[in-house]
Amino acid sequence: MVMRNSDELDPAKRDIMEATYDAITNTGYSDLTIQDIADEFDRSKTLIYYHYDGREELLVDFLDYVMKQFRTMLPDSAESPQEELETLIDTLLPTTVEEEPFQVMLAMFELRVNAPYDTNCRDQYLAVEDELNTLLVDILSRGVENGEFENIDPETEAELFVSLLIGTRARRLTVYDPEESIASLKEAIQYHIERITATSEGNA
Amino acid sequence: MVMRNSDELDPAKRDIMEATYDAITNTGYSDLTIQDIADEFDRSKTLIYYHYDGREELLVDFLDYVMKQFRTMLPDSAESPQEELETLIDTLLPTTVEEEPFQVMLAMFELRVNAPYDTNCRDQYLAVEDELNTLLVDILSRGVENGEFENIDPETEAELFVSLLIGTRARRLTVYDPEESIASLKEAIQYHIERITATSEGNA
DNA sequence: CCATATATACTAACTATTTCGTTAGTACTT
DNA sequence: AAGTACTAACGAAATAGTTAGTATATATGG
């Protein structure tokens, strides 16, 4: 057995995770079978059972894998809080349908349906939303401090943004054709960001 | 065959829809089988096949049924636009876990996962979101006209509210224990409503 | 008005199909 | 020789869907 950083997955498991992504993208989570995953996996179905006791155990790992990828996507701090906020929005609501961010977004959307029935799942979502919230509180506080943002309450405003982002991501996946732009949804957010951005009185 | 208004369902079908609600509440949509529905249904499984060709046909009707109930929930116009807006928020985000509104909310959340793969489903969500949007545009426009709201853009603000509501409903179901209050999520919305509400300058 | 045909709502029991998960084994490494 | 990564083939279980029927109501018609 090769020694491995606990953050790294066994390469076979990693490939199973990738196959699961592909299966979800094609079939959707709601009628996802081990067979569907095996079909996207270039080794045998038995190997999936060799690594995982069953669907449930696999999905625990998969949820973890997805959440890790989501965290990786989150941008590092930028020049100014306002830029940072806009980068975050653009990252979480990509206009173009690039492979990876789209698959992560879809998987996070689909797996969420387990949360009402599965404590582990609920906790995972609670944790990432908390991280997102913390990130937003930080951005917003700094923005208020340096005068870029109006005198908003960062805690409450962050909570608002988290809900808004989750709702917009859901709508982006379900109500528009994947290829169609989500311009009108993003415009609404942009409109809101401008509202909380301090109007620099130097520029008339 | 008894003549029936096209809006009314065959009583047996109605009972199947109710059983489907119960099955989703217990099992979740993602691994919902006809058997699960039959278990919640007090007549035989065969009767489900007598009325529906299969799971897919049943779910088309069920989505319809859920959407109709959602529309029924939407409140009628109230005294003032601001009150109307707050009533709408309270209706869509009930604090108490009453049976019916909760089941409708859960079903709408769970069935949404089909939208990326099913045009009919996507269209249904697009249509209700459009109705919600129209309702909000109407409330907001009247509020701006009569001076209750700040000079916001009703179209954009409505879009913002739709995303915010969908996101908050999702979080309400997935991140909090059903019994736990959603106070902090609703507070954020309340905070936002107050922000767009005109400060009556007569009150100092 | 009675007998018979037809239709509707429903069921138990069965078959077919899919999906799950195991067994018994290979090939390659250490 | 012992362990790891892997597979084809098979058995078990769950799910889907059908068949062949019953009970009851509603005509039809002599």
Side-chain angles (χ1 to χ4, degrees):
Chain A
M1 187 63 173
V2 183
M3 272 322 246
R4 208 181 298 284
N5 179 319
S6 67
D7 268 14
E8 286 175 46
L9 274 173
D10 185 329
K13 283 194 173 188
R14 212 202 91 97
D15 292 346
I16 294 172
M17 297 295 102
E18 291 300 320
T20 306
Y21 260 129
D22 294 339
I24 285 181
T25 307
N26 296 331
T27 321
Y29 172 74
S30 80
D31 26 54
L32 185 74
T33 66
I34 298 281
Q35 191 57 56
D36 292 327
I37 297 170
D39 290 346
E40 301 291 333
F41 183 49
D42 60 3
R43 270 154 289 169
S44 74
K45 186 183 71 169
T46 314
L47 189 59
I48 298 174
Y49 282 102
Y50 176 76
H51 288 291
Y52 292 104
D53 274 353
R55 186 182 132 121
E56 215 170 297
E57 203 186 293
L58 189 153
L59 287 171
V60 168
D61 254 31
F62 185 65
L63 182 60
D64 233 80
Y65 188 72
V66 171
M67 293 306 195
K68 242 167 224 150
Q69 289 200 279
F70 177 75
R71 289 184 171 99
T72 309
M73 280 168 55
L74 295 178
D76 295 321
S77 61
E79 289 289 301
S80 76
Q82 202 209 324
E83 271 177 43
E84 217 170 312
L85 182 57
E86 298 203 3
T87 306
L88 180 65
I89 305 291
D90 284 338
T91 309
L92 297 187
L93 298 168
T95 307
T96 57
V97 186
E98 289 146 87
E99 271 297 287
E100 206 214 274
F102 184 81
Q103 281 200 337
V104 174
M105 179 159 69
L106 185 64
M108 280 190 69
F109 167 72
E110 302 251 341
L111 294 178
R112 189 181 275 268
V113 297
N114 283 326
Y117 312 95
D118 174 357
T119 310
N120 169 54
C121 181
R122 186 157 59 235
D123 291 346
Q124 292 259 19
Y125 279 90
L126 191 55
V128 288
E129 282 171 28
D130 218 69
E131 280 169 52
L132 193 54
N133 192 295
T134 303
L135 182 59
L136 279 159
V137 168
D138 177 60
I139 293 172
L140 292 167
S141 312
R142 282 187 287 120
V144 170
E145 256 170 57
N146 83 359
E148 254 176 66
F149 294 134
E150 296 279 359
N151 189 28
I152 49 158
D153 172 32
E155 309 279 342
T156 312
E157 193 67 45
E159 198 75 283
L160 202 73
F161 266 101
V162 173
S163 296
L164 188 54
L165 282 167
I166 290 169
T168 307
R169 277 162 70 93
R171 294 180 77 194
R172 192 261 171 282
L173 288 166
T174 56
V175 147
Y176 292 91
D177 263 294
E179 297 301 328
E180 202 181 315
S181 116
I182 51 159
S184 77
L185 301 184
K186 277 186 89 169
E187 263 166 36
I189 297 181
Q190 198 52 47
Y191 170 82
H192 179 65
I193 293 179
E194 273 157 33
R195 165 165 52 203
I196 65 166
T197 302
T199 47
S200 72
E201 285 161 38
N203 296 339
Chain B
M1 188 59 175
V2 184
M3 271 325 246
R4 207 180 300 281
N5 181 318
S6 67
D7 268 14
E8 288 175 45
L9 274 174
D10 186 328
K13 283 193 172 185
R14 212 202 90 99
D15 292 346
I16 294 171
M17 297 295 100
E18 291 300 320
T20 306
Y21 260 127
D22 295 340
I24 285 181
T25 307
N26 295 331
T27 321
Y29 173 74
S30 80
D31 27 51
L32 185 73
T33 67
I34 298 282
Q35 191 57 56
D36 293 328
I37 298 171
D39 290 346
E40 299 292 333
F41 184 47
D42 59 3
R43 271 154 289 173
S44 73
K45 186 183 73 169
T46 315
L47 189 59
I48 297 173
Y49 283 101
Y50 176 76
H51 288 291
Y52 293 104
D53 275 353
R55 185 183 133 121
E56 215 171 298
E57 204 186 292
L58 189 154
L59 287 171
V60 169
D61 254 31
F62 184 65
L63 182 60
D64 233 80
Y65 187 73
V66 171
M67 292 307 195
K68 243 166 224 150
Q69 289 200 277
F70 177 75
R71 289 184 172 98
T72 309
M73 280 167 56
L74 295 178
D76 296 321
S77 60
E79 289 289 300
S80 76
Q82 202 210 325
E83 271 177 44
E84 217 169 311
L85 183 57
E86 298 203 0
T87 307
L88 181 65
I89 304 293
D90 285 338
T91 310
L92 297 188
L93 298 169
T95 307
T96 58
V97 187
E98 287 146 90
E99 270 298 285
E100 209 214 272
F102 183 81
Q103 280 199 336
V104 174
M105 179 159 71
L106 185 63
M108 282 190 66
F109 167 72
E110 301 249 343
L111 293 178
R112 191 182 273 269
V113 297
N114 283 326
Y117 313 93
D118 174 357
T119 310
N120 169 55
C121 181
R122 187 158 57 234
D123 291 346
Q124 293 258 19
Y125 279 90
L126 191 55
V128 288
E129 282 172 27
D130 217 70
E131 280 169 52
L132 193 54
N133 192 295
T134 304
L135 181 60
L136 280 159
V137 168
D138 177 61
I139 294 171
L140 294 166
S141 311
R142 283 186 289 120
V144 170
E145 254 170 56
N146 83 0
E148 256 176 65
F149 295 135
E150 297 279 1
N151 189 29
I152 49 158
D153 173 32
E155 309 280 343
T156 311
E157 193 68 45
E159 200 74 283
L160 202 74
F161 266 100
V162 174
S163 295
L164 187 55
L165 282 166
I166 290 170
T168 308
R169 277 162 69 93
R171 295 180 77 195
R172 192 261 170 281
L173 288 166
T174 56
V175 149
Y176 292 91
D177 262 294
E179 297 300 329
E180 203 181 315
S181 117
I182 50 159
S184 77
L185 302 183
K186 278 186 88 170
E187 262 166 37
I189 297 182
Q190 197 53 48
Y191 170 82
H192 180 64
I193 293 179
E194 273 157 34
R195 165 164 53 202
I196 65 166
T197 301
T199 47
S200 71
E201 285 163 37
N203 295 341

